[in-house]
């Protein structure tokens, strides 16, 4: 059994990627812990967090906003995996993790389901990176029934399209 640390730097809703990573490791009987920093996306002075991750076999850091890219520092960097749009828009979860269901136990107070039915966007808004990150066409991503785990559901799709 490995000890895994997940760090949610700045998500305002349950972090889908970290929940899938948690499922992956729990399926391997690893012990998973999460640290939620609750930083925002505003470019204010932020406290640098120094983490001693020597007791963990692997640490995953998810960063949504670029301004938070350097707020977490570690004593043992060789066991750290960074990801998220704020860190690097080219980094994606491998399919064998991305296709897993989310582990909502990481967010025990959460009462809603979140997810994407489609990915990509045909729009080209000047402020948005979705077409760069996910592509300029809309494509199927997940089934609705794979997303719904609670009575309240939020679909996070950028643009919806009907498929046959």
């Amino acid at each position: 059994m490995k000890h895994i640390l997940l760090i949610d730097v700045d998500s305002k809703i349950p972090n889908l990627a970290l929940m899938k990573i948690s499922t992956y490791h729990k399926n391997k009987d690893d012990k998973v812990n999460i640290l939620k920093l609750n930083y925002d996306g505003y470019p204010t002075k932020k406290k640098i967090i120094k983490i001693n991750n020597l007791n963990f076999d692997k640490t995953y850091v998810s960063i949504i906003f670029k301004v938070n890219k350097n707020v977490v520092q570690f004593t043992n960097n060789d066991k750290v995996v960074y990801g998220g749009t704020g860190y690097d828009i080219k980094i994606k979860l491998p399919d064998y993790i991305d296709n897993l269901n989310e582990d909502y136990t990481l967010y025990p107070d959460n009462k809603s389901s979140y997810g994407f039915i489609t990915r990509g966007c045909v729009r080209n808004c000047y402020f948005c990176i979705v077409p760069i990150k996910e592509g300029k066409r809309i494509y199927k991503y997940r089934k609705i029934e794979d997303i719904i785990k609670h009575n309240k559901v939020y679909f996070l799709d950028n643009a919806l399209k009907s498929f046959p």
Side-chain angles (χ1 to χ4, degrees):
M1 175 191 341
K2 293 183 179 179
H3 288 81
I4 307 300
L5 176 61
L6 306 175
I7 301 177
D8 182 346
V9 174
D10 50 12
S11 299
K12 296 302 173 205
I13 61 173
N15 188 298
L16 299 173
L18 291 179
M19 289 192 293
K20 291 177 180 196
I21 292 169
S22 176
T23 298
Y24 171 75
H25 280 285
K26 285 181 177 179
N27 286 345
K28 295 171 69 171
D29 291 325
D30 294 337
K31 182 173 174 34
V32 177
N33 294 305
I34 187 165
L35 172 62
K36 300 170 204 153
L37 299 181
N38 297 315
Y39 277 27
D40 60 34
Y42 296 102
T44 57
K45 291 184 180 179
K46 299 189 193 285
K47 180 181 173 188
I48 302 292
I49 304 291
K50 296 184 188 252
I51 296 175
N52 179 348
N53 67 332
L54 293 174
N55 295 326
F56 295 95
D57 296 295
K58 196 165 213 176
T59 299
Y60 296 89
V61 182
S62 176
I63 301 164
I64 305 297
F65 301 106
K66 285 183 185 179
V67 297
N68 296 328
K69 189 172 184 174
N70 298 312
V71 298
V72 182
Q73 297 176 354
F74 296 94
T75 57
N76 192 355
N77 250 357
D78 62 325
K79 300 189 289 184
V80 179
V81 177
Y82 292 90
T85 302
Y87 184 74
D88 185 341
I89 66 169
K90 294 177 186 154
I91 296 174
K92 295 183 180 184
L93 289 175
D95 287 343
Y96 63 89
I97 294 177
D98 195 33
N99 292 330
L100 295 172
N101 286 324
E102 297 81 7
D103 176 11
Y104 279 98
T105 65
L106 296 178
Y107 299 88
D109 296 332
N110 174 64
K111 304 287 186 242
S112 302
S113 297
Y114 298 87
F116 294 87
I117 301 167
T118 62
R119 290 292 202 167
C121 188
V122 297
R123 296 181 190 96
N124 202 18
C125 303
Y126 73 93
F127 57 83
C128 185
I129 63 167
V130 170
I132 298 166
K133 183 177 180 178
E134 299 175 7
K136 293 184 178 187
R137 67 174 185 82
I138 299 170
Y139 56 94
K140 289 183 195 179
Y141 177 66
R142 302 226 21 219
K143 296 178 185 172
I144 291 174
E145 56 269 21
D146 291 337
I147 296 170
I148 300 172
K149 306 290 183 221
H150 301 85
N151 289 332
K152 196 175 204 179
V153 181
Y154 293 93
F155 295 105
L156 305 173
D157 299 59
N158 298 293
L160 290 173
K161 176 183 175 182
S162 62
F163 291 95

